[in-house]
Amino acid sequence: MQPYVMAYIWIGIAAFLTAVEIATVQLVSVWFVLGALCAALTTIFTDSIVIQIVVFVSVSLVTLIATRPLVKKAKQKIRPLRTNSDRLIGETGVMLADLNDMHSVGQAKVMGKVWSVKTDNPPLQAGDTVRVLAIEGVKLIVEKLN
């Protein structure tokens, strides 16, 4: 095989992995892109495919091990933007209808909208202030505030 062919193959692998990285939202292949580029550089010095593969695997593992903790720490700092009904969790509202047992459904006004609500601690009376604990389907799970 011609010496430059392996360089093109490694560059092709790097290009493919770059496309995969761009297509995903997670960091999944950036380390392997660096490994493939280093393996392509190795073709300048040797024709041995075994050495090129060792360089690819070694560089990929070293960069993965070195940068993964930094990536995890950066991802933990990013909090997801609450945009839908999950933003209701922790909000307070006012009961519009009585709720007398765990199996019945009442109504409460939370953030200006009327919602069906359930509770694990009945009874709740109309006018009681409640806090949203969770969402179950289209019903809010609430508790009475003292």
Side-chain angles (χ1 to χ4, degrees):
M1 190 179 315
Q2 300 283 349
Y4 61 85
V5 172
M6 278 311 294
Y8 288 134
I9 291 173
W10 285 115
I11 291 170
I13 291 171
F16 172 75
L17 292 171
T18 301
V20 168
E21 186 66 40
I22 291 170
T24 61
V25 235
Q26 303 288 327
L27 290 173
V28 292
S29 64
V30 67
W31 304 280
F32 303 108
V33 171
L34 294 173
L37 291 175
C38 288
L41 287 174
T42 306
T43 62
I44 297 171
F45 305 107
T46 182
D47 292 338
S48 172
I49 295 174
V50 172
I51 293 174
Q52 294 169 23
I53 291 172
V54 168
V55 167
F56 169 74
V57 170
S58 300
V59 170
S60 297
L61 285 176
V62 168
T63 55
L64 176 64
I65 291 168
T67 60
R68 193 67 179 162
L70 299 173
V71 171
K72 278 189 174 183
K73 186 183 278 187
K75 285 175 114 178
Q76 288 176 350
K77 290 182 181 180
I78 300 171
R79 293 190 179 148
L81 180 62
R82 293 168 43 164
T83 59
N84 292 323
S85 59
D86 63 339
R87 69 178 176 214
L88 295 170
I89 297 173
E91 294 293 326
T92 59
V94 178
M95 289 298 295
L96 299 176
D98 293 346
L99 185 72
N100 295 320
D101 61 49
M102 288 177 48
H103 303 293
S104 62
V105 177
Q107 287 190 327
K109 192 170 203 172
V110 179
M111 292 182 68
K113 299 202 180 203
V114 177
W115 290 87
S116 297
V117 297
K118 292 171 61 175
T119 186
D120 293 335
N121 302 314
L124 296 174
Q125 305 299 320
D128 286 348
T129 303
V130 294
R131 178 183 20 227
V132 179
L133 300 175
I135 300 170
E136 187 178 283
V138 293
K139 296 176 186 71
L140 302 180
I141 309 301
V142 297
E143 71 175 356
K144 183 177 180 177
L145 289 178
N146 296 330

